[in-house]
Amino acid sequence: MKTLDDIIVSRAIIEKFMERFRDNLDIDVAICGGGPAGMLAAYYLAEFGHKVALFERKLSVGGGMWGGGMMFNFIVVQEDAVPILKELGITPEPYSEDGYFTACSIRTMATLTAKATEAGATIFNAMTVEDVVWDGKRVGGVVVNWSAAQVAGLHIDPLTIRAKYVVDATGHDTDVLKTLVRKNGVKLSTPTGNILGEQSMFALSGEKDVVRNTMEVYPGIFVAGMAANATFGGHRMGPIFGGMLLSGKKVSEEIHNCLIKQKSLNR
Ligand code: 48F
């Protein structure tokens, strides 16, 4: 390269991003939040061949996985989730004989990010899902804006993405579902019809609950990961991550089945 034209650099970035953004305005699945549950859901849904985009509020994906436990950057996974990590190309190390394994949190999330994007999932970082599309009966997409605009408190209208299914994988906050309930007073498929809120630390129960609570809670919107426990009043579990991985896998399988049904009905 003899010369370097700054304008070509700018044009390349603008054109490539716009191409990608335009290509993701009408998709199969919009995933809100790039923690372990959302990222794993993105990976499997893309592997199934669906058009999936993940929106992450922060600059980097990873959510609570990056920091391991209290910034000691290791995660613990239990035996049931080891096959998922192996499928990604990560071999966790056995820690004790009764089924505890460890893995580097940085390597796990970096690998998961690479696998999800290689499979065809698109990640939009630094974008916040600030609302959903709702026609009175069903959620039909997400409303997104730059996180920086929100942080600065700028009055800037968002843009809309149509999606056949939305996954709230926003973790402890249950941010997207909260907005749906607050604005529209809809009844969820929880015992009270509302978001129950998470309970304190009890890993044994929390890890079981997170998989059981992963489901469609209102037509068009699923909860996965810690958002599922926060929705159904399950316990938190701290830096044991098997449940998050299993929840991400489960939500992808449930949505895959729904999409297959829809596609065969439309034929
Ligand atoms: O919190 P997070 O890692 O959720 P998760 O996948 O995993 C939970 C664990 O990390 C840990 C735990 C147990 O093992 O309890 O906490 O359920 O990732 C959630 C991601 O969602 C993003 C947020 O920045 C984080 O990266 N997020 C939150 N609200 C929004 C959002 C929003 N409105 N739009 C886009 N991203």
Side-chain angles (χ1 to χ4, degrees), residues 31-39 55-58 60-65 127-130 169-173 175-176 207 224-227 236-242 244:
I31 299 178
C32 315
M39 289 294 288
F55 300 90
E56 167 54 50
R57 171 154 62 192
K58 299 204 171 136
S60 48
V61 288
M65 190 177 261
M127 271 192 207
T128 294
V129 177
E130 63 164 59
T170 62
H172 298 264
D173 292 350
D175 205 37
V176 176
E207 282 290 278
M226 200 52 219
R236 69 181 305 187
M237 69 295 284
I240 174 133
F241 279 82
M244 296 302 135

Short mmCIF file of all heavy atoms in Angstrom, two decimals, residues 31-39 55-58 60-65 127-130 169-173 175-176 207 224-227 236-242 244, ligand 1:
data_model
loop_
_atom_site.label_atom_id
_atom_site.label_comp_id
_atom_site.label_asym_id
_atom_site.label_seq_id
_atom_site.Cartn_x
_atom_site.Cartn_y
_atom_site.Cartn_z
N ILE A 31 -31.80 -11.14 19.99
CA ILE A 31 -31.38 -11.49 21.35
C ILE A 31 -30.93 -10.21 22.06
O ILE A 31 -30.10 -9.47 21.52
CB ILE A 31 -30.25 -12.52 21.32
CG1 ILE A 31 -30.76 -13.79 20.63
CG2 ILE A 31 -29.74 -12.84 22.73
CD1 ILE A 31 -29.74 -14.87 20.47
N CYS A 32 -31.50 -9.96 23.21
CA CYS A 32 -31.14 -8.76 23.98
C CYS A 32 -30.16 -9.18 25.06
O CYS A 32 -30.53 -9.89 25.99
CB CYS A 32 -32.38 -8.16 24.63
SG CYS A 32 -33.79 -8.08 23.52
N GLY A 33 -28.92 -8.74 24.95
CA GLY A 33 -27.92 -9.02 25.97
C GLY A 33 -26.93 -10.10 25.55
O GLY A 33 -27.32 -11.17 25.11
N GLY A 34 -25.64 -9.74 25.68
CA GLY A 34 -24.57 -10.65 25.24
C GLY A 34 -23.81 -11.28 26.39
O GLY A 34 -22.58 -11.39 26.35
N GLY A 35 -24.51 -11.71 27.44
CA GLY A 35 -23.89 -12.53 28.47
C GLY A 35 -23.82 -13.97 27.98
O GLY A 35 -24.14 -14.25 26.81
N PRO A 36 -23.42 -14.90 28.85
CA PRO A 36 -23.29 -16.28 28.39
C PRO A 36 -24.58 -16.89 27.82
O PRO A 36 -24.53 -17.59 26.81
CB PRO A 36 -22.84 -17.04 29.65
CG PRO A 36 -23.05 -16.09 30.79
CD PRO A 36 -23.00 -14.73 30.24
N ALA A 37 -25.72 -16.60 28.45
CA ALA A 37 -26.98 -17.20 27.95
C ALA A 37 -27.31 -16.67 26.56
O ALA A 37 -27.64 -17.44 25.64
CB ALA A 37 -28.11 -16.92 28.94
N GLY A 38 -27.23 -15.35 26.39
CA GLY A 38 -27.55 -14.76 25.10
C GLY A 38 -26.59 -15.20 24.02
O GLY A 38 -26.98 -15.50 22.88
N MET A 39 -25.30 -15.25 24.36
CA MET A 39 -24.30 -15.62 23.36
C MET A 39 -24.46 -17.08 22.93
O MET A 39 -24.31 -17.42 21.75
CB MET A 39 -22.89 -15.41 23.92
CG MET A 39 -22.53 -13.96 24.08
SD MET A 39 -22.39 -13.08 22.51
CE MET A 39 -20.89 -13.79 21.92
N PHE A 55 -28.04 -7.87 20.45
CA PHE A 55 -27.80 -6.46 20.79
C PHE A 55 -27.26 -6.38 22.21
O PHE A 55 -27.89 -6.87 23.14
CB PHE A 55 -29.11 -5.66 20.67
CG PHE A 55 -29.66 -5.73 19.27
CD1 PHE A 55 -30.54 -6.74 18.91
CD2 PHE A 55 -29.26 -4.82 18.30
CE1 PHE A 55 -31.03 -6.85 17.61
CE2 PHE A 55 -29.74 -4.91 17.00
CZ PHE A 55 -30.62 -5.93 16.66
N GLU A 56 -26.09 -5.78 22.32
CA GLU A 56 -25.43 -5.68 23.64
C GLU A 56 -25.23 -4.21 23.98
O GLU A 56 -24.66 -3.45 23.20
CB GLU A 56 -24.10 -6.42 23.62
CG GLU A 56 -23.18 -6.13 24.80
CD GLU A 56 -23.81 -6.33 26.18
OE1 GLU A 56 -24.40 -7.39 26.40
OE2 GLU A 56 -23.70 -5.40 27.02
N ARG A 57 -25.69 -3.85 25.17
CA ARG A 57 -25.62 -2.46 25.63
C ARG A 57 -24.19 -1.95 25.79
O ARG A 57 -23.88 -0.81 25.49
CB ARG A 57 -26.34 -2.40 26.98
CG ARG A 57 -26.19 -1.10 27.67
CD ARG A 57 -27.29 -0.78 28.61
NE ARG A 57 -27.42 -1.74 29.70
CZ ARG A 57 -28.48 -1.76 30.50
NH1 ARG A 57 -29.47 -0.92 30.32
NH2 ARG A 57 -28.55 -2.62 31.47
N LYS A 58 -23.30 -2.82 26.24
CA LYS A 58 -21.92 -2.38 26.52
C LYS A 58 -21.05 -2.48 25.26
O LYS A 58 -21.47 -3.06 24.27
CB LYS A 58 -21.34 -3.23 27.64
CG LYS A 58 -22.15 -3.06 28.90
CD LYS A 58 -21.35 -3.37 30.13
CE LYS A 58 -22.16 -2.97 31.35
NZ LYS A 58 -22.12 -3.98 32.38
N SER A 60 -18.34 -4.27 25.05
CA SER A 60 -17.94 -5.66 24.81
C SER A 60 -19.02 -6.62 25.31
O SER A 60 -19.68 -6.36 26.31
CB SER A 60 -16.62 -5.97 25.52
OG SER A 60 -16.68 -5.51 26.84
N VAL A 61 -19.16 -7.72 24.55
CA VAL A 61 -20.06 -8.78 25.00
C VAL A 61 -19.37 -9.53 26.15
O VAL A 61 -18.18 -9.35 26.38
CB VAL A 61 -20.40 -9.76 23.85
CG1 VAL A 61 -21.32 -9.12 22.84
CG2 VAL A 61 -19.14 -10.32 23.21
N GLY A 62 -20.12 -10.37 26.80
CA GLY A 62 -19.52 -11.17 27.87
C GLY A 62 -20.32 -11.12 29.16
O GLY A 62 -20.31 -12.05 29.94
N GLY A 63 -20.99 -9.99 29.38
CA GLY A 63 -21.81 -9.85 30.58
C GLY A 63 -21.01 -10.20 31.82
O GLY A 63 -19.86 -9.80 31.99
N GLY A 64 -21.61 -11.02 32.67
CA GLY A 64 -20.98 -11.38 33.94
C GLY A 64 -19.93 -12.46 33.81
O GLY A 64 -19.32 -12.83 34.82
N MET A 65 -19.71 -12.97 32.58
CA MET A 65 -18.72 -14.05 32.49
C MET A 65 -17.28 -13.53 32.55
O MET A 65 -16.42 -14.15 33.16
CB MET A 65 -18.93 -14.90 31.24
CG MET A 65 -18.07 -16.15 31.25
SD MET A 65 -18.32 -17.21 29.86
CE MET A 65 -19.42 -18.43 30.52
N MET A 127 -25.24 -0.97 21.66
CA MET A 127 -26.65 -0.65 21.36
C MET A 127 -27.52 -1.18 22.48
O MET A 127 -27.35 -2.34 22.90
CB MET A 127 -27.10 -1.33 20.06
CG MET A 127 -26.86 -0.51 18.83
SD MET A 127 -27.73 -1.26 17.44
CE MET A 127 -26.70 -0.69 16.12
N THR A 128 -28.44 -0.36 22.92
CA THR A 128 -29.37 -0.76 23.98
C THR A 128 -30.74 -1.07 23.39
O THR A 128 -31.22 -0.33 22.53
CB THR A 128 -29.50 0.39 25.01
OG1 THR A 128 -28.24 0.55 25.65
CG2 THR A 128 -30.56 0.10 26.06
N VAL A 129 -31.33 -2.17 23.84
CA VAL A 129 -32.72 -2.44 23.48
C VAL A 129 -33.56 -1.65 24.47
O VAL A 129 -33.56 -1.95 25.67
CB VAL A 129 -33.04 -3.95 23.57
CG1 VAL A 129 -34.52 -4.20 23.27
CG2 VAL A 129 -32.15 -4.74 22.61
N GLU A 130 -34.21 -0.61 23.98
CA GLU A 130 -34.92 0.27 24.92
C GLU A 130 -36.42 0.00 24.96
O GLU A 130 -37.12 0.50 25.83
CB GLU A 130 -34.63 1.74 24.64
CG GLU A 130 -35.08 2.22 23.28
CD GLU A 130 -35.13 3.75 23.17
OE1 GLU A 130 -34.08 4.37 23.37
OE2 GLU A 130 -36.23 4.28 22.89
N ALA A 169 -32.27 -11.73 27.40
CA ALA A 169 -31.13 -12.37 28.09
C ALA A 169 -30.33 -11.26 28.76
O ALA A 169 -29.10 -11.26 28.71
CB ALA A 169 -30.29 -13.16 27.10
N THR A 170 -31.05 -10.31 29.34
CA THR A 170 -30.38 -9.13 29.91
C THR A 170 -29.92 -9.35 31.36
O THR A 170 -29.55 -8.40 32.05
CB THR A 170 -31.27 -7.87 29.85
OG1 THR A 170 -32.45 -8.11 30.63
CG2 THR A 170 -31.67 -7.53 28.42
N GLY A 171 -29.98 -10.59 31.83
CA GLY A 171 -29.42 -10.89 33.15
C GLY A 171 -30.33 -10.44 34.28
O GLY A 171 -31.56 -10.37 34.12
N HIS A 172 -29.70 -10.11 35.41
CA HIS A 172 -30.44 -9.77 36.64
C HIS A 172 -31.49 -8.67 36.40
O HIS A 172 -32.51 -8.64 37.05
CB HIS A 172 -29.46 -9.31 37.73
CG HIS A 172 -28.48 -10.38 38.12
ND1 HIS A 172 -28.66 -11.20 39.21
CD2 HIS A 172 -27.30 -10.77 37.57
CE1 HIS A 172 -27.65 -12.05 39.32
NE2 HIS A 172 -26.81 -11.81 38.32
N ASP A 173 -31.21 -7.77 35.44
CA ASP A 173 -32.10 -6.61 35.23
C ASP A 173 -33.44 -6.96 34.59
O ASP A 173 -34.41 -6.24 34.76
CB ASP A 173 -31.44 -5.60 34.28
CG ASP A 173 -30.24 -4.94 34.91
OD1 ASP A 173 -30.06 -5.12 36.12
OD2 ASP A 173 -29.50 -4.25 34.18
N ASP A 175 -34.33 -6.36 31.73
CA ASP A 175 -34.60 -4.99 31.29
C ASP A 175 -35.72 -4.89 30.25
O ASP A 175 -36.58 -4.01 30.32
CB ASP A 175 -33.28 -4.45 30.71
CG ASP A 175 -33.20 -2.96 30.77
OD1 ASP A 175 -33.67 -2.39 31.77
OD2 ASP A 175 -32.68 -2.35 29.82
N VAL A 176 -35.71 -5.80 29.32
CA VAL A 176 -36.63 -5.68 28.19
C VAL A 176 -38.05 -6.10 28.60
O VAL A 176 -39.03 -5.43 28.29
CB VAL A 176 -36.09 -6.51 26.99
CG1 VAL A 176 -37.05 -6.49 25.82
CG2 VAL A 176 -34.72 -5.97 26.58
N GLU A 207 -29.48 -23.01 39.84
CA GLU A 207 -29.00 -23.66 38.62
C GLU A 207 -30.07 -24.56 38.00
O GLU A 207 -30.17 -24.64 36.78
CB GLU A 207 -27.74 -24.48 38.93
CG GLU A 207 -26.50 -23.62 39.06
CD GLU A 207 -26.06 -23.03 37.73
OE1 GLU A 207 -25.38 -23.71 36.94
OE2 GLU A 207 -26.39 -21.85 37.48
N ALA A 224 -34.18 -16.02 29.07
CA ALA A 224 -33.09 -16.99 29.21
C ALA A 224 -32.06 -16.45 30.18
O ALA A 224 -31.95 -15.23 30.38
CB ALA A 224 -32.44 -17.26 27.85
N GLY A 225 -31.29 -17.37 30.78
CA GLY A 225 -30.23 -16.96 31.70
C GLY A 225 -30.83 -16.38 32.97
O GLY A 225 -31.96 -16.69 33.37
N MET A 226 -30.06 -15.50 33.60
CA MET A 226 -30.49 -14.95 34.90
C MET A 226 -31.82 -14.22 34.76
O MET A 226 -32.59 -14.13 35.73
CB MET A 226 -29.38 -14.04 35.44
CG MET A 226 -29.46 -13.80 36.91
SD MET A 226 -29.56 -15.30 37.93
CE MET A 226 -30.73 -14.74 39.17
N ALA A 227 -32.12 -13.70 33.58
CA ALA A 227 -33.42 -13.02 33.37
C ALA A 227 -34.58 -14.00 33.59
O ALA A 227 -35.66 -13.60 34.04
CB ALA A 227 -33.49 -12.42 31.97
N ARG A 236 -30.46 -16.58 42.71
CA ARG A 236 -29.19 -16.30 42.01
C ARG A 236 -28.22 -17.41 42.37
O ARG A 236 -28.43 -18.15 43.34
CB ARG A 236 -28.65 -14.92 42.38
CG ARG A 236 -28.17 -14.82 43.81
CD ARG A 236 -27.69 -13.45 44.13
NE ARG A 236 -26.65 -13.03 43.19
CZ ARG A 236 -25.95 -11.91 43.32
NH1 ARG A 236 -26.17 -11.12 44.34
NH2 ARG A 236 -25.04 -11.58 42.44
N MET A 237 -27.13 -17.50 41.59
CA MET A 237 -26.23 -18.63 41.82
C MET A 237 -24.75 -18.26 41.79
O MET A 237 -23.90 -19.14 42.00
CB MET A 237 -26.51 -19.77 40.83
CG MET A 237 -26.14 -19.49 39.41
SD MET A 237 -27.10 -18.17 38.66
CE MET A 237 -28.65 -18.96 38.36
N GLY A 238 -24.40 -17.02 41.51
CA GLY A 238 -22.98 -16.66 41.52
C GLY A 238 -22.22 -17.27 40.36
O GLY A 238 -22.82 -17.67 39.36
N PRO A 239 -20.90 -17.37 40.49
CA PRO A 239 -20.06 -17.69 39.32
C PRO A 239 -20.01 -19.16 38.91
O PRO A 239 -18.96 -19.64 38.49
CB PRO A 239 -18.68 -17.16 39.72
CG PRO A 239 -18.69 -17.24 41.20
CD PRO A 239 -20.09 -17.06 41.68
N ILE A 240 -21.12 -19.85 39.03
CA ILE A 240 -21.20 -21.18 38.44
C ILE A 240 -22.04 -21.01 37.18
O ILE A 240 -23.14 -20.45 37.24
CB ILE A 240 -21.76 -22.24 39.42
CG1 ILE A 240 -21.95 -23.58 38.72
CG2 ILE A 240 -23.06 -21.83 40.10
CD1 ILE A 240 -21.40 -24.74 39.50
N PHE A 241 -21.52 -21.44 36.03
CA PHE A 241 -22.10 -21.00 34.76
C PHE A 241 -22.80 -22.09 33.95
O PHE A 241 -23.30 -21.81 32.86
CB PHE A 241 -21.02 -20.32 33.90
CG PHE A 241 -20.79 -18.90 34.32
CD1 PHE A 241 -19.97 -18.60 35.39
CD2 PHE A 241 -21.43 -17.86 33.68
CE1 PHE A 241 -19.78 -17.29 35.81
CE2 PHE A 241 -21.26 -16.54 34.09
CZ PHE A 241 -20.42 -16.26 35.15
N GLY A 242 -22.82 -23.33 34.46
CA GLY A 242 -23.46 -24.40 33.69
C GLY A 242 -24.90 -24.08 33.34
O GLY A 242 -25.33 -24.28 32.20
N MET A 244 -26.36 -21.23 32.91
CA MET A 244 -26.46 -20.20 31.86
C MET A 244 -26.29 -20.82 30.48
O MET A 244 -26.99 -20.50 29.54
CB MET A 244 -25.38 -19.12 32.06
CG MET A 244 -25.52 -18.33 33.32
SD MET A 244 -27.10 -17.50 33.41
CE MET A 244 -27.54 -17.87 35.09
O1 48F B 1 -25.65 -10.48 33.17
P1 48F B 1 -25.32 -11.36 32.04
O2 48F B 1 -24.02 -12.08 32.04
O3 48F B 1 -26.56 -12.37 31.89
P2 48F B 1 -26.68 -13.97 31.76
O4 48F B 1 -26.27 -14.41 30.42
O5 48F B 1 -25.58 -14.53 32.78
C1 48F B 1 -25.64 -14.25 34.15
C2 48F B 1 -24.23 -14.46 34.70
O6 48F B 1 -23.32 -13.62 34.05
C3 48F B 1 -24.11 -14.21 36.19
C4 48F B 1 -24.82 -15.18 37.03
C5 48F B 1 -24.49 -16.59 37.00
O7 48F B 1 -23.84 -17.41 36.65
O8 48F B 1 -25.66 -14.85 37.81
O9 48F B 1 -24.58 -12.90 36.51
O10 48F B 1 -28.02 -14.30 32.25
O11 48F B 1 -25.42 -10.56 30.68
C6 48F B 1 -26.50 -9.72 30.38
C7 48F B 1 -26.04 -8.72 29.33
O12 48F B 1 -27.16 -7.97 28.90
C8 48F B 1 -26.75 -6.63 28.67
C9 48F B 1 -25.72 -6.38 29.77
O13 48F B 1 -24.86 -5.32 29.43
C10 48F B 1 -25.01 -7.73 29.84
O14 48F B 1 -23.87 -7.78 29.01
N1 48F B 1 -27.94 -5.78 28.73
C11 48F B 1 -28.68 -5.46 29.82
N2 48F B 1 -29.73 -4.71 29.46
C12 48F B 1 -29.64 -4.55 28.11
C13 48F B 1 -28.50 -5.24 27.64
C14 48F B 1 -30.46 -3.88 27.15
N3 48F B 1 -31.56 -3.22 27.49
N4 48F B 1 -30.08 -3.92 25.84
C15 48F B 1 -28.96 -4.59 25.47
N5 48F B 1 -28.16 -5.25 26.35
#
